[in-house]
Amino acid sequence: MASTTQPRSKVRERREDVRRRVLRTTAEMMADGTPYTELPVQRIAERARVARSTFYLHFPDKSRLLIALADEAVEALFGEAVIWWGADHADGVDGVAHAMRQMIAAYREHRRVLHALGEVAGYDPDVAEFWRDRMRRFTEVVQARLDAELRAGTVDPEMDVRTTAQVLIWTVERTISAHCHHDEGTGDERIARTLARTIWLTVYGLPPGPPPERPGSDRSGSGGT
């Protein structure tokens, strides 16, 4: 008697197909202008042509659905920056600016998902932990490079590499997010160059010297006659 059990590979392919359909459908519905928080599971399932029960087999709740959507978006957002932090930095500020342009472009491409990620992370602990974990991973990439630069003597020996990495990551992410919410693209180059200069000077700039002497001041402390 022939077995009625489907091969595991077929079952896996079907599951992956359902998962892709749900993710693609959700992205399309968001692209139509519907905020993620206003998308009911029932509407997503109907449009993806899957049963509601099948939806929940793949995504136990909408938090897990958003995390699955955001995984690709976050990788796209930070991908080019990871490449720059691993490069030799021979191209100076221009190299950083290129990475910033790519990050801005990635944010614009995935802006609806990334906006939903930031919004939902404010009250959903699972989404918040996902976002913190991704930011932590990227911070570790930057921190490892700053540690190497510190050992090589190419940065300020007083640099707190862990805090510097955190400040750089959050500054870039928050700046790009705010910029893309209020600018349709005309200021992209200005933001990219400004972020690049900020990053470069923070990492490789000389530590500040004493304040310049003001005209007429007496550095000896003896005062006038």
Side-chain angles (χ1 to χ4, degrees):
M1 177 182 290
S3 172
T4 58
T5 304
Q6 286 185 304
R8 289 183 179 179
S9 60
K10 291 294 184 182
V11 173
R12 187 165 54 248
E13 287 176 11
R14 184 177 181 281
R15 287 176 177 172
E16 285 301 313
D17 177 64
V18 170
R19 182 180 175 85
R20 283 193 298 269
R21 262 194 288 149
V22 170
L23 292 173
R24 183 174 64 249
T25 297
T26 307
E28 289 171 353
M29 294 173 77
M30 293 173 69
D32 291 341
T34 306
Y36 180 79
T37 52
E38 297 178 15
L39 287 176
V41 168
Q42 186 62 38
R43 280 182 56 198
I44 297 172
E46 288 174 355
R47 185 157 167 177
R49 301 189 307 279
V50 302
R52 186 185 178 96
S53 57
T54 302
F55 174 96
Y56 283 119
L57 283 175
H58 295 269
F59 306 100
D61 50 42
K62 279 187 67 181
S63 297
R64 292 296 161 186
L65 174 60
L66 178 56
I67 288 170
L69 284 166
D71 201 28
E72 177 184 353
V74 173
E75 288 299 319
L77 178 63
F78 290 119
E80 192 68 29
V82 169
I83 293 173
W84 182 79
W85 282 103
D88 60 12
H89 296 183
D91 46 4
V93 176
D94 289 340
V96 201
H98 173 75
M100 294 302 100
R101 291 186 201 102
Q102 296 299 105
M103 288 189 72
I104 292 170
Y107 193 98
R108 291 197 182 281
E109 180 181 355
H110 300 279
R111 65 188 181 279
R112 293 178 179 87
V113 172
L114 292 170
H115 178 72
L117 176 64
E119 180 182 1
V120 178
Y123 59 83
D124 186 297
D126 291 333
V127 176
E129 177 54 34
F130 165 82
W131 185 221
R132 283 194 299 267
D133 177 68
R134 291 301 183 272
M135 294 296 281
R136 188 162 50 240
R137 291 185 193 182
F138 187 41
T139 300
E140 288 170 356
V141 170
V142 178
Q143 183 176 339
R145 177 56 182 263
L146 295 180
D147 275 327
E149 298 283 7
L150 192 62
R151 291 192 299 270
T154 52
V155 299
D156 180 0
E158 299 298 319
M159 177 185 288
D160 179 335
V161 295
R162 182 173 181 273
T163 304
T164 300
Q166 291 174 332
V167 168
L168 288 175
I169 298 312
W170 286 108
T171 296
V172 170
E173 190 278 330
R174 288 291 82 199
T175 298
I176 290 176
S177 174
H179 168 69
C180 289
H181 279 113
H182 299 98
D183 187 287
E184 294 301 319
T186 56
D188 285 5
E189 181 62 20
R190 184 173 64 253
I191 289 292
R193 296 297 302 185
T194 301
L195 282 173
R197 186 173 183 274
T198 299
I199 293 168
W200 188 266
L201 290 177
T202 299
V203 176
Y204 297 113
L206 295 174
E213 184 176 347
R214 290 176 294 179
S217 65
D218 186 348
R219 297 298 294 270
S220 67
S222 59
T225 57

